[in-house]
């Protein structure tokens, strides 16, 4: 279903497809409340928006990748559920792999073609999900922005969704 067709179906009251399991929804909600409370109360976590993220519709959230905590912190900064990409090696430890799968992470195998993962992300975006992408493709070691890959532009164009650049300060 194309972006326009998905929008027309949603406007017509058609049921929206979702890939969230009951366990995944409960886990996300529980972790969001616990981590947000801890982040605000203990660490003074705050977020500001030039514009709030759209509450519905496919959205590609772009951020530099400075820490292992980036997906968590981005998720805490908004009330909207976000998915992210995760390198496939993170799935080797089965309990952690089960958790990030339940939280809608999309595995990326750096040694193989990323086409399969890109198709999953495009489908999620077309279904109205918000997905975090780190255009550099990896964490920065010194905090400076690295070389940007073209993958995020391909995702946005094929899915027909807007981009939301974010920054941490």
């Amino acid at each position: 279903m194309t972006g326009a067709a998905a929008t027309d179906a949603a406007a017509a009251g058609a049921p929206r497809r979702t890939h969230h399991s009951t366990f995944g929804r409960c886990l996300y909600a529980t972790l969001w409340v616990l981590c947000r409370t801890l982040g605000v109360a203990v660490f003074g976590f705050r977020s500001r928006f030039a514009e709030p993220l759209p509450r519905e519709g496919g959205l590609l959230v772009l951020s530099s990748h400075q820490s292992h905590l980036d997906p968590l912190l981005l998720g805490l900064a908004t009330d909207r559920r976000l998915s992210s990409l995760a390198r496939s090696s993170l799935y080797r430890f089965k309990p952690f792999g089960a958790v990030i799968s339940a939280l809608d992470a999309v595995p990326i195998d750096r040694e193989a073609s990323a086409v399969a993962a890109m198709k999953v992300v495009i489908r999620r975006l077309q279904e109205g999900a918000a997905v975090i992408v780190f255009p550099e493709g990896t964490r920065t070691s010194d905090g400076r922005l690295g070389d940007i890959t073209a993958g995020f532009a391909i995702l946005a164009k094929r899915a027909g969704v807007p981009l939301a650049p974010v920054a941490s300060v």
Side-chain angles (χ1 to χ4, degrees):
M1 189 180 292
T2 66
T7 303
D8 292 342
R16 205 165 131 190
R17 290 183 284 171
T18 179
H19 54 277
H20 309 307
S21 67
T22 301
F23 172 70
R25 283 191 304 273
C26 292
L27 180 63
Y28 193 97
T30 301
L31 288 174
W32 190 89
V33 169
L34 290 174
C35 291
R36 178 104 181 220
T37 302
L38 181 67
V40 170
V42 176
F43 299 108
F45 177 80
R46 301 286 183 265
S47 60
R48 291 184 306 255
F49 294 91
E51 290 181 32
L53 294 180
R55 291 188 124 345
E56 293 183 354
L59 181 67
L60 201 55
V61 179
L62 305 175
S63 175
S64 63
H65 198 4
Q66 300 177 28
S67 161
H68 292 288
L69 297 177
D70 289 336
L72 172 69
L73 295 174
L74 288 167
L76 295 178
T78 182
D79 293 340
R80 181 152 184 200
R81 184 172 179 148
L82 301 175
S83 297
S84 63
L85 306 181
R87 69 176 188 271
S88 58
S89 62
L90 294 174
Y91 291 81
R92 288 187 193 137
F93 180 59
K94 298 298 182 194
F96 187 70
V99 167
I100 60 177
S101 291
L103 297 175
D104 302 330
V106 177
I108 296 287
D109 185 351
R110 292 181 178 180
E111 306 303 319
S113 169
V115 173
M118 289 181 80
K119 287 181 179 181
V120 171
V121 172
I122 290 168
R123 186 180 73 244
R124 286 189 185 178
L125 291 167
Q126 290 174 335
E127 292 172 354
V131 180
I132 302 166
V133 172
F134 302 108
E136 299 162 282
T138 190
R139 281 184 319 282
T140 177
S141 59
D142 60 7
R144 293 191 311 215
L145 192 61
D147 293 334
I148 304 295
T149 63
F152 78 92
I154 294 167
L155 292 172
K157 185 174 181 178
R158 293 260 167 94
V161 298
L163 302 175
V166 299
S168 60
V169 289

